[in-house]
Amino acid sequence: MMDARTWRVGCRCLLLLALVGSTRSEGVQSCEEVRKVFQWRLAGAVKGLPDSPRPGPDLQVCTSKKPTCCTRKMEERYQIAARQDMQRVLQTSSSTLKFLISRNAAAFQETLETLIRQAENYTSILFCNTYRNMALEAAASIQEFFTDVGLYLFGADVNPEEFVNRFFDSLFPLVYNHLINPGVTESSLEYSECIRMARRDVSPFGNIPQRVMGQMGRSLLPSRTFLQALNLGIEVINTTDHLYFSKECGRVLLRMQYCPHCQGLTLSKPCMGYCLNVMRGCLAHVAELNPHWHAYIRSLEELSDAMHGTYDIEHVLLNFHLLVNDAVMQAHVDGQNLSARVNKICGRPIRSPTQSPRCSFDGIKEKHGMKISARNGEETLANRRKEFINSLRLYRTFYGGLADQLCVNELAAADGLPCWNGEDIVKSYTQPVVGNGIKAQSGNPEIKVKGSDPVINQIIDKLKHVIQLLQGRSPKPDKWELQMGSGGGMLEQVSGDCDDEDGCGGSGSGEVKRTLKITDCESICGKLPIADIAGAYIRRRIIKLHLTISVLLT
């Protein structure tokens, strides 16, 4: 009995004989097979299609001296199909890359939101456990601060310097009323506002607000830029997935893919060299993306590698509450001096007795997520970034080799098989094969490439811009000039080294380790694009503010 290998070899030989034989005959005798394929692949009506080959003087592209199974209307349908097929193979070839970037962009967004919630919980727990009398009054300021952190990360036009100052401005009246001048706790709104305004003059928290500004700027800005760059990567792929091909490209795609059908050669595939010339010509402008795409991935890698220590948002946010505690303690220790200075600026308060609401954390609060939970230290944001960059690095030359990839994986005949050369079935393609890129197309025997593509040029400009941003946000080993805020703000030089003053060594109750658990990215791949993130984020935060206050009051 014939084994499987012998059977496959036999079938291959029969196919070779059929293909070669068709080129030696005077042409096909029936168009039945062409009609079937046309109806199956294009869902076209078979009425009016030739039953047998006939002259085709009205054909524009699939011309032949032999009788043909195609009509002018069939040729027009085939041309549309050739363009659709091209877009399909482009989308197939980029699907893995697109999924890699989009799922990680969604995962980073989800992780940052989780990180912000965790840092906010740490800060709320600090007040409820250590400064209970202030906890309820501090809740809104804590919520506002971390809302601003999220908005900035997700691209909103907010200034880190402003929201850091706003937080410490609002904290000082609480510290003054409850720690520095305790007892009868309720002062007038006007007096509290005066204390708030005096904070920057009396500096009750020492240099801690400036340290927080530096840490927030150094960590938030690179993370914001990294997330925006990922969304641009998705935009680049979406653009190249839906390119509009020139009329000349449409004609050569038709000749390569469907003109063989007109001669009854429905099973034929183009020769490898022929396919490369056609695809390298049609994708010549896309190939110009390659050096910029390569630089884009390299810049992402450099920024990711640099995001550690005081540039690591995970470290900075999860240790923010320690700096807040240090700030409160410093004001408390210097209370007598601060009280005298505030009295000079604002006068002595007129107070009325009151009882400040207290908060307590129990099982009810834990149900609302206001707790510190153990995490797997291996699943940090930095580890996730490293895994992503390692995978993305494999696609550095994606656009330079796209045409070759399509021919090898999808379109062209295997080596050694008879193939279509644009006119007939042959044993091999004999024309010279050109390289990739616009300059190489001057000698392309299959297609003439003219001018430039404005869509590709626009994408190149965007890539150049984001590369500059990525490189500008990559901390250097010695000094890095950071422009804080979205529209200006404080310009400072900071050291790339991580020391105790920056918060790397912890303080007070000890450093919180970077052990944030990463959410499974498979469950969040449907995230909103970055333009919609800030709006959705602020809506969720407003709801959470009401929830937090109600929880604290229970």
Side-chain angles (χ1 to χ4, degrees):
M1 188 174 181
M2 184 183 301
D3 60 21
R5 182 177 180 182
T6 305
W7 184 84
R8 287 195 299 270
V9 171
C11 287
R12 189 174 180 182
C13 291
L14 288 174
L15 178 60
L16 290 174
L17 289 172
L19 290 173
V20 175
S22 67
T23 67
R24 295 174 180 173
S25 66
E26 293 300 321
V28 291
Q29 302 302 313
S30 171
C31 295
E32 182 64 24
E33 189 66 25
V34 176
R35 288 159 57 93
K36 288 180 180 179
V37 172
F38 183 83
Q39 185 179 28
W40 173 65
R41 294 193 65 175
L42 306 182
V46 295
K47 185 177 180 181
L49 303 186
D51 293 316
S52 59
R54 63 186 185 185
D58 58 339
L59 298 181
Q60 301 295 309
V61 179
C62 299
T63 57
S64 175
K65 296 178 180 179
K66 300 176 183 178
T68 178
C69 288
C70 288
T71 63
R72 182 77 175 93
K73 288 186 177 181
M74 289 176 67
E75 190 180 52
E76 291 172 355
R77 289 291 303 276
Y78 278 142
Q79 185 146 30
I80 295 172
R83 290 177 178 270
Q84 292 173 341
D85 289 349
M86 182 65 170
Q87 287 207 333
R88 177 186 59 80
V89 296
L90 281 174
Q91 292 168 14
T92 299
S93 67
S94 66
S95 60
T96 303
L97 172 60
K98 182 177 179 180
F99 180 68
L100 172 68
I101 299 178
S102 60
R103 73 169 182 174
N104 277 281
F108 292 140
Q109 177 196 327
E110 180 78 3
T111 301
L112 289 171
E113 290 187 14
T114 303
L115 174 60
I116 292 168
R117 288 195 300 270
Q118 188 74 69
E120 181 181 347
N121 287 348
Y122 285 175
T123 310
S124 297
I125 290 170
L126 167 70
F127 278 89
C128 272
N129 287 348
T130 310
Y131 310 107
R132 288 174 176 254
N133 289 339
M134 288 188 270
L136 182 62
E137 295 173 81
S141 297
I142 295 170
Q143 180 84 29
E144 181 184 10
F145 175 79
F146 285 103
T147 296
D148 286 335
V149 168
L151 290 173
Y152 181 75
L153 278 174
F154 301 139
D157 188 18
V158 294
N159 189 312
E161 182 183 0
E162 291 178 1
F163 64 70
V164 169
N165 272 324
R166 193 159 54 243
F167 173 78
F168 284 104
D169 287 347
S170 65
L171 181 61
F172 183 40
L174 305 183
V175 174
Y176 187 82
N177 288 332
H178 293 282
L179 290 181
I180 298 174
N181 241 327
V184 184
T185 57
E186 181 69 13
S187 61
S188 67
L189 292 176
E190 292 81 2
Y191 192 78
S192 293
E193 178 64 15
C194 181
I195 298 174
R196 192 187 72 82
M197 296 294 291
R199 196 272 301 178
R200 303 186 200 187
D201 293 326
V202 301
S203 299
F205 306 124
N207 70 340
I208 290 176
Q210 285 71 36
R211 286 165 57 189
V212 172
M213 287 179 200
Q215 289 187 16
M216 289 292 167
R218 293 193 292 270
S219 62
L220 297 184
L221 187 56
S223 295
R224 167 183 164 123
T225 305
F226 190 85
L227 188 59
Q228 289 174 331
L230 295 190
N231 282 274
L232 176 62
I234 298 170
E235 180 184 346
V236 171
I237 298 169
N238 283 336
T239 301
T240 54
D241 276 354
H242 299 87
L243 284 176
Y244 175 79
F245 296 102
S246 67
K247 182 177 180 181
E248 176 68 14
C249 177
R251 290 170 64 90
V252 296
L253 288 174
L254 167 61
R255 182 179 295 112
M256 182 178 78
Q257 293 179 261
Y258 286 104
C259 284
H261 290 212
C262 298
Q263 297 184 30
L265 306 172
T266 55
L267 298 177
S268 69
K269 283 192 169 186
C271 302
M272 180 60 72
Y274 175 50
C275 179
L276 289 174
N277 277 339
V278 169
M279 299 307 295
R280 287 174 178 175
C282 284
L283 297 177
H285 297 101
V286 176
E288 297 298 310
L289 284 170
N290 195 58
H292 308 287
W293 182 256
H294 189 284
Y296 162 76
I297 293 178
R298 185 178 65 249
S299 299
L300 275 175
E301 182 177 2
E302 291 173 354
L303 179 59
S304 179
D305 289 343
M307 291 162 66
H308 58 80
T310 56
Y311 302 106
D312 182 356
I313 186 174
E314 192 166 0
H315 171 91
V316 169
L317 288 183
L318 292 184
N319 287 280
F320 170 75
H321 68 289
L322 300 179
L323 287 177
V324 173
N325 185 57
D326 288 348
V328 174
M329 292 301 298
Q330 181 165 333
H332 189 199
V333 169
D334 197 29
Q336 187 173 356
N337 177 47
L338 290 173
S339 181
R341 296 179 67 186
V342 168
N343 287 342
K344 287 182 179 180
I345 297 173
C346 301
R348 295 186 178 275
I350 300 174
R351 299 172 179 269
S352 58
T354 186
Q355 179 64 42
S356 296
R358 294 170 177 263
C359 73
S360 63
F361 277 85
D362 52 26
I364 295 176
K365 283 75 179 179
E366 291 187 358
K367 288 181 181 179
H368 293 289
M370 298 181 68
K371 60 181 180 178
I372 299 176
S373 56
R375 302 294 186 183
N376 181 355
E378 295 300 318
E379 296 186 352
T380 64
L381 187 60
N383 288 340
R384 168 68 77 181
R385 279 198 312 268
K386 184 177 180 180
E387 291 175 5
F388 166 64
I389 292 296
N390 286 339
S391 298
L392 187 62
R393 195 183 294 118
L394 301 175
Y395 295 91
R396 286 177 296 186
T397 60
F398 175 75
Y399 285 107
L402 183 57
D404 302 50
Q405 179 185 341
L406 295 180
C407 288
V408 171
N409 296 340
E410 296 275 349
L411 302 174
D415 289 343
L417 289 178
C419 52
W420 175 255
N421 70 352
E423 296 180 357
D424 215 333
I425 295 293
V426 295
K427 292 182 179 180
S428 63
Y429 183 68
T430 58
Q431 294 289 342
V433 178
V434 300
N436 285 292
I438 294 176
K439 292 182 179 179
Q441 304 312 307
S442 59
N444 195 322
E446 305 299 339
I447 181 174
K448 301 300 180 185
V449 179
K450 301 177 181 179
S452 61
D453 187 322
V455 175
I456 296 298
N457 289 343
Q458 186 179 35
I459 288 295
I460 289 175
D461 288 341
K462 288 184 177 183
L463 281 173
K464 287 180 178 179
H465 177 66
V466 81
I467 289 166
Q468 289 179 340
L469 288 178
L470 289 168
Q471 292 174 346
R473 304 306 181 233
S474 298
K476 303 302 185 292
D478 47 2
K479 295 287 183 180
W480 178 38
E481 286 193 348
L482 169 64
Q483 185 71 38
M484 288 186 59
S486 56
M490 181 180 70
L491 183 68
E492 66 168 327
Q493 282 195 330
V494 294
S495 171
D497 299 326
C498 181
D499 54 33
D500 188 65
E501 184 172 297
D502 286 321
C504 298
S507 60
S509 57
E511 178 184 352
V512 175
K513 300 299 182 183
R514 296 183 294 110
T515 56
L516 179 71
K517 186 172 180 62
I518 303 298
T519 304
D520 178 17
C521 62
E522 300 297 336
S523 64
I524 53 175
C525 290
K527 278 290 172 187
L528 295 171
I530 196 166
D532 300 326
I533 291 175
Y537 181 76
I538 189 65
R539 288 192 292 272
R540 292 195 298 273
R541 300 291 294 182
I542 291 172
I543 294 171
K544 189 174 185 294
L545 174 59
H546 295 297
L547 174 63
T548 302
I549 294 176
S550 65
V551 167
L552 290 170
L553 286 171
T554 58

